[in-house]
Amino acid sequence: MGFLKEFKEFAVKGNVMDLAVGVIIGGAFGKIVTSIVNDVIMPIVSAIIGTPDFTNMYVVLKGEAPDGAPLAAARGVDGNVIFAYGSFITEVINFTLLALCVFIMVKGINQLRKKEAAAAEPEPAGPPAPTQEDLLAEIRDLLKNQGK
């Protein structure tokens, strides 16, 4: 029974729940970045270099493939050894954009935390306010000096 109790304490801890939420949001965020790469950036890059799709960029190292055949067709031929560098380029772009987005988010969060920390810091205390006794003593001394 001790094992189940320990597992329950572990699973219910806030850190585990935060991690689960982070993984779910990260998966959704990854889909957004993939869509940005495939639907926005890759068409622009393809228009510039004249290639319709990076994923179909490959070199046949062994065997033969018809000219202009898609990657799937070239891989479907028995004995072909394919160097599919286009897929790698796409994944590098995906990673770079994902890393850039995460960097921008973390930088923004850090700036917000700095502002919150600066707002939470108390104002530096000035000299202590004089007590009632100090004020009375000062008035007494001023009256004494006036009489001289």
Side-chain angles (χ1 to χ4, degrees):
M1 204 59 156
F3 177 78
L4 291 176
K5 184 178 178 183
E6 286 180 43
F7 180 73
K8 180 182 175 185
E9 288 176 11
F10 169 78
V12 177
K13 280 186 181 178
N15 293 341
V16 174
M17 297 306 287
D18 291 343
L19 178 62
V21 170
V23 167
I24 292 168
I25 290 174
F29 188 71
K31 289 180 181 181
I32 291 170
V33 171
T34 300
S35 176
I36 289 172
V37 169
N38 292 337
D39 302 330
V40 177
I41 294 175
M42 295 306 284
I44 294 169
V45 172
S46 296
I48 292 170
I49 67 168
T51 304
D53 187 9
F54 277 165
T55 56
N56 285 320
M57 295 175 75
Y58 63 91
V59 173
V60 179
L61 299 176
K62 181 180 175 188
E64 292 184 22
D67 288 338
L71 179 62
R75 283 188 172 159
V77 177
D78 287 337
N80 274 358
V81 177
I82 307 291
F83 178 65
Y85 62 92
S87 297
F88 177 73
I89 291 171
T90 302
E91 292 303 322
V92 168
I93 292 171
N94 280 340
F95 172 78
T96 304
L97 289 174
L98 182 62
L100 179 66
C101 291
V102 169
F103 171 74
I104 290 170
M105 285 179 20
V106 169
K107 186 173 180 178
I109 289 170
N110 285 341
Q111 286 178 347
L112 287 175
R113 285 184 180 167
K114 285 179 185 178
K115 287 180 183 178
E116 287 177 4
E121 289 181 11
E123 300 260 345
T131 62
Q132 192 173 20
E133 289 81 16
D134 292 338
L135 291 173
L136 289 173
E138 189 176 330
I139 292 170
R140 181 196 64 209
D141 292 344
L142 287 171
L143 290 174
K144 277 185 187 178
N145 289 338
Q146 280 183 353
K148 291 185 180 179

